[in-house]
Amino acid sequence: MPSKSACLRHTEAPGQLEGRMFQGQLPNTDKNLTPTASSLPATDPRGSETNPMPPFSIQAKPSNQNSQAKAKPVTPQLPMRPKLERTLSLDDKGWRRRRFQGSQEDLTIQNGTSPCRGSMQDSPAQSPACSRPLPCLSTSLQEIPKPRRATGSEGGSTSLWSDCLPGMISTSLDLLHREATPGGGSPKLASLHATHTPPPMDLNIASSSLRTANKVDPEHADYKHRMQTRLVRAHSSLGPSRPRSPLAGDDHSIHSARSSFSLLAPIRTKDIRSRSYLEGSLMASGALLGADELARYFPDRNMALFVATWNMQGQKELPASLDEFLLPTEADYTQDLYVIGVQEGCSDRREWETRLQETLGPQYVLLSSAAHGVLYMSLFIRRDLIWFCSEVECSTVTTRIVSQIKTKGALGVSFTFFGTSFLFITSHFTSGDGKVAERLLDYSRTIQALALPRNVPDTNPYRSSAGDVTTRFDEVFWFGDFNFRLSGGRVAVEAFLKQDSEVDVLALLQHDQLTREMKKGSIFRGFEEAEIHFLPSYKFDIGKDTYDSTSKQRTPSYTDRILYKSRHKGDICPMKYSSCPEIKTSDHRPVYGLFRVKVRPGRDNIPLAAGKFDRELYLIGIKRRISKELQKQQTMKNQSSSAVCTVS
């Protein structure tokens, strides 16, 4: 296909080319500067004009050196060949409606000197034909570089031609190209008759709505702000038909562009430059554990906490599913932190932790795991919250006379989350119906012997006591098998349990040894317990829902408990306190509690765990979930295929 420039050189003479290209659009600048017959619009016999473009008459400015000299005729130079060629298969109407903005046009908009998109009030000398392009004109203007300005006399230039020329030349080039290519293209592209001619506009339009829509009016109130915040690639190599970068200058400011890439909160450059993260304060901007970061994850500054205790009775067999234990149906959503304490745990501790990881899924990681004999404690946290945890510290206490026997004692784990310090203690006190004094002694030894915290600083040392570990932390949860029984004998307790209506739990708790000792203040001073609405968790026949049917006939009791204590009143709010009767592999039923705990911002001088977690356990748990899902799908496939009968 011949190029447009080749058609211009060989098909027309220069004089004929000017007449055909600019007929009815460009003035004939002769000596008298009057339009000739070739420049007048063609009329039909009825007298109506067929050319939509009105004639122009422009006075050439005389030169300063020779004021008497006559103005030379203005001959606009042809533009360079377009960079891109449009394919004939594109829909013409869809192509004409598209509007791409090139990097060169971005620069003109940045300077506020766009020739055809600015305010009409600021350019009274501009032609109405240039202020609003005609619908019939091709959008190939976007493909042509900025045209050279046609100079008149030595001292003057006709900027009007450089402003209005691109649309006219584009239309004429398209017309010549279609005429020079016989049978080429669509009849739509060859037809350039203007059927909908817009009426001429008044040059003194001062409508504020037009200026607001254009967004480039220097008098508009938002103009300066938008021009200052616009980002432009001055040397962009992107063509006008390619998609532009989001930073190449849009109607959005840099402040609103922060949410166009991701939903993460922006990080200020000055914070990275100024913050050392070795020490900080609550008011510091950009602190890792500060108020801004805390508000991202907990706008109401309350985290969800799951605490559970279970005496496994040393059984090797684990339940087939732990969903009812860790994921109770009463909670619509999972919790942020899971703390599970076990007494008389199974022999394979690693297998137990793997089952916990498998049940919670890949959204949780094992933050810490500690053991003291057969006392286990596991802390699982949401994986996107591990960066705000301090180092996890643990301490143990043996309450047996012989320290090598670690069936009874306590295990404490502590860490700081943002600016709130947590202490979790799981204990197994002395057993026996009448050994209340021994259990009180176990409690006293535990609060005195637990050496926590060590390296993590105390969030409020003025309210701490060297003789009580529970006073050194903001939030304390103490749970386990405390072995406090229901006094009065088994017959009296069974009388309450065999009632046809709901069991009167309040009447049972009046015989509870732990409730009575807490009211006296001899144990768990300052601790609270949520209301109990479940049956006694001890002692059941393994695999059954009946209480002890052996010859010992132990009294059903609330031995497994969860207590909590806070430095600030109201920081801990219990949401659910219940047992899990579905798990029957032990003579104890698991007991769990759901809490909402208030979290405060912290300081950057807290030694962080730096995202440390048990990676090996995490991978094993994921692989098990995948293998179980594949087995489940294969089983369902086999069942569906066996149910279909084939007849040959």
Side-chain angles (χ1 to χ4, degrees):
M1 178 183 296
S3 63
K4 297 181 182 179
S5 59
C7 294
L8 293 177
R9 288 194 299 267
H10 300 290
T11 59
E12 302 277 359
Q16 297 175 355
L17 179 60
E18 290 183 24
R20 294 199 59 180
M21 287 180 57
F22 308 105
Q23 183 177 6
Q25 299 181 13
L26 298 179
N28 183 13
T29 56
D30 56 2
K31 297 180 179 181
N32 298 325
L33 296 177
T34 57
T36 61
S38 61
S39 64
L40 292 177
T43 58
D44 57 7
R46 304 176 190 176
S48 59
E49 294 184 359
T50 59
N51 193 331
M53 301 299 297
F56 296 93
S57 178
I58 297 179
Q59 300 293 336
K61 297 181 180 180
S63 174
N64 295 332
Q65 298 177 0
N66 188 5
S67 60
Q68 301 298 330
K70 297 179 181 179
K72 297 180 180 180
V74 178
T75 304
Q77 298 182 6
L78 294 176
M80 294 183 297
R81 177 179 175 144
K83 293 181 179 179
L84 301 175
E85 292 289 341
R86 293 185 298 168
T87 58
L88 300 179
S89 61
L90 293 177
D91 183 15
D92 182 58
K93 293 184 178 180
W95 180 266
R96 294 177 188 276
R97 287 194 300 267
R98 295 181 66 181
R99 182 72 171 91
F100 294 97
Q101 196 174 64
S103 58
Q104 185 69 21
E105 190 175 354
D106 281 338
L107 290 177
T108 58
I109 296 177
Q110 173 74 15
N111 299 327
T113 59
S114 178
C116 296
R117 293 182 61 189
S119 174
M120 300 177 186
Q121 188 180 9
D122 298 334
S123 56
Q126 187 176 350
S127 172
C130 297
S131 61
R132 181 176 179 181
L134 296 177
C136 63
L137 296 182
S138 172
T139 55
S140 59
L141 167 63
Q142 305 301 324
E143 304 171 1
I144 300 178
K146 189 174 183 64
R148 303 172 182 173
R149 292 186 177 271
T151 57
S153 301
E154 297 180 0
S157 64
T158 56
S159 61
L160 180 60
W161 296 120
S162 62
D163 293 344
C164 301
L165 196 56
M168 303 175 185
I169 294 178
S170 175
T171 306
S172 303
L173 288 176
D174 288 346
L175 178 60
L176 291 175
H177 183 69
R178 298 306 173 193
E179 290 180 355
T181 308
S186 171
K188 298 180 181 179
L189 294 178
S191 177
L192 295 176
H193 297 287
T195 58
H196 302 284
T197 304
M201 285 188 175
D202 188 7
L203 298 181
N204 295 325
I205 294 179
S207 174
S208 59
S209 61
L210 290 178
R211 294 204 304 267
T212 306
N214 290 334
K215 302 296 184 184
V216 294
D217 190 358
E219 294 182 359
H220 194 265
D222 199 35
Y223 171 79
K224 294 183 179 180
H225 173 72
R226 291 183 179 274
M227 291 302 105
Q228 291 175 359
T229 58
R230 187 187 299 274
L231 296 179
V232 179
R233 287 184 175 180
H235 303 285
S236 175
S237 60
L238 295 177
S241 62
R242 302 181 186 178
R244 296 186 299 146
S245 170
L247 295 179
D250 202 350
D251 286 340
H252 303 282
S253 63
I254 189 174
H255 303 289
S256 62
R258 63 188 181 186
S259 62
S260 61
F261 300 99
S262 68
L263 297 179
L264 299 177
I267 302 175
R268 298 182 179 180
T269 307
K270 63 179 182 180
D271 294 336
I272 301 298
R273 288 175 173 265
S274 59
R275 298 290 298 169
S276 63
Y277 294 100
L278 297 179
E279 60 182 25
S281 62
L282 297 177
M283 304 303 295
S285 176
L288 180 62
L289 305 178
D292 294 341
E293 198 73 13
L294 177 60
R296 287 182 55 197
Y297 293 90
F298 305 102
D300 57 350
R301 295 193 177 186
N302 284 293
M303 67 173 296
L305 176 63
F306 176 95
V307 180
T309 177
W310 186 25
N311 187 324
M312 302 180 67
Q313 203 187 10
Q315 297 291 333
K316 295 182 179 180
E317 180 185 358
L318 295 176
S321 175
L322 296 176
D323 292 347
E324 298 296 332
F325 178 36
L326 299 177
L327 307 172
T329 57
E330 292 84 0
D332 295 334
Y333 302 95
T334 57
Q335 311 303 300
D336 300 315
L337 178 65
Y338 283 79
V339 182
I340 301 99
V342 172
Q343 308 83 39
E344 298 183 15
C346 61
S347 57
D348 193 348
R349 172 189 162 202
R350 191 63 174 176
E351 176 63 21
W352 164 246
E353 294 174 349
T354 304
R355 291 292 304 278
L356 295 176
Q357 176 71 77
E358 177 188 351
T359 304
L360 292 176
Q363 288 80 13
Y364 293 86
V365 295
L366 181 62
L367 177 65
S368 176
S369 176
H372 177 60
V374 290
L375 291 175
Y376 305 154
M377 187 183 297
S378 305
L379 277 69
F380 286 86
I381 192 171
R382 286 186 52 162
R383 64 185 184 187
D384 49 353
L385 298 177
I386 59 177
W387 308 104
F388 313 107
C389 300
S390 70
E391 297 178 353
V392 183
E393 301 174 328
C394 64
S395 179
T396 61
V397 174
T398 300
T399 56
R400 288 269 190 183
I401 298 177
V402 181
S403 60
Q404 286 76 13
I405 303 177
K406 299 179 181 179
T407 57
K408 299 293 188 295
L411 170 63
V413 175
S414 65
F415 74 101
T416 299
F417 183 68
F418 281 97
T420 301
S421 57
F422 287 85
L423 172 63
F424 300 97
I425 306 175
T426 181
S427 297
H428 194 185
F429 290 167
T430 304
S431 60
D433 291 348
K435 296 183 179 181
V436 177
E438 287 80 353
R439 289 189 277 271
L440 298 179
L441 184 60
D442 294 341
Y443 166 79
S444 299
R445 289 178 179 176
T446 301
I447 62 175
Q448 295 175 5
L450 278 179
L452 292 173
R454 294 193 180 95
N455 300 324
V456 180
D458 192 346
T459 56
N460 194 346
Y462 300 102
R463 301 180 61 179
S464 301
S465 173
D468 189 353
V469 66
T470 62
T471 62
R472 306 171 203 156
F473 296 88
D474 296 324
E475 321 296 343
V476 181
F477 291 86
W478 200 330
F479 47 96
D481 184 4
F482 298 146
N483 265 320
F484 285 98
R485 311 300 174 88
L486 291 176
S487 59
R490 173 162 180 158
V491 176
V493 173
E494 284 185 343
F496 287 100
L497 297 177
K498 291 181 180 180
Q499 294 177 359
D500 296 336
S501 60
E502 295 183 0
V503 178
D504 190 355
V505 177
L506 295 178
L508 282 175
L509 292 176
Q510 291 179 359
H511 304 276
D512 181 50
Q513 296 175 352
L514 178 59
T515 304
R516 183 169 59 249
E517 295 299 328
M518 288 181 65
K519 290 181 179 179
K520 292 180 180 179
S522 57
I523 191 174
F524 292 116
R525 289 179 292 271
F527 280 84
E528 301 178 61
E529 185 180 15
E531 294 184 2
I532 297 178
H533 298 285
F534 54 91
L535 297 177
S537 59
Y538 173 86
K539 175 183 183 183
F540 288 88
D541 293 335
I542 296 178
K544 300 180 181 179
D545 291 328
T546 58
Y547 288 98
D548 187 17
S549 60
T550 62
S551 58
K552 294 185 178 181
Q553 293 288 307
R554 293 184 176 87
T555 304
S557 303
Y558 292 97
T559 58
D560 307 280
R561 313 287 277 271
I562 300 176
L563 307 177
Y564 59 89
K565 176 183 178 181
S566 178
R567 276 178 175 173
H568 307 277
K569 185 178 181 180
D571 276 8
I572 301 177
C573 179
M575 307 300 294
K576 182 70 176 180
Y577 190 32
S578 181
S579 65
C580 188
E582 291 81 5
I583 297 181
K584 306 174 183 180
T585 57
S586 171
D587 58 350
H588 289 255
R589 294 290 186 262
V591 175
Y592 66 89
L594 304 179
F595 302 91
R596 292 293 180 268
V597 184
K598 188 175 182 60
V599 181
R600 291 177 170 81
R603 299 170 58 92
D604 285 342
N605 59 350
I606 297 176
L608 297 175
K612 181 181 178 181
F613 67 96
D614 196 329
R615 182 177 180 272
E616 181 182 359
L617 183 72
Y618 182 79
L619 295 176
I620 294 176
I622 293 178
K623 291 179 181 179
R624 285 197 179 184
R625 287 184 69 98
I626 294 175
S627 61
K628 281 190 174 183
E629 184 64 24
L630 293 177
Q631 293 177 1
K632 182 179 178 180
Q633 293 179 0
Q634 184 65 29
T635 303
M636 295 178 61
K637 183 179 179 180
N638 295 337
Q639 291 177 355
S640 61
S641 61
S642 62
V644 178
C645 298
T646 58
V647 178
S648 58

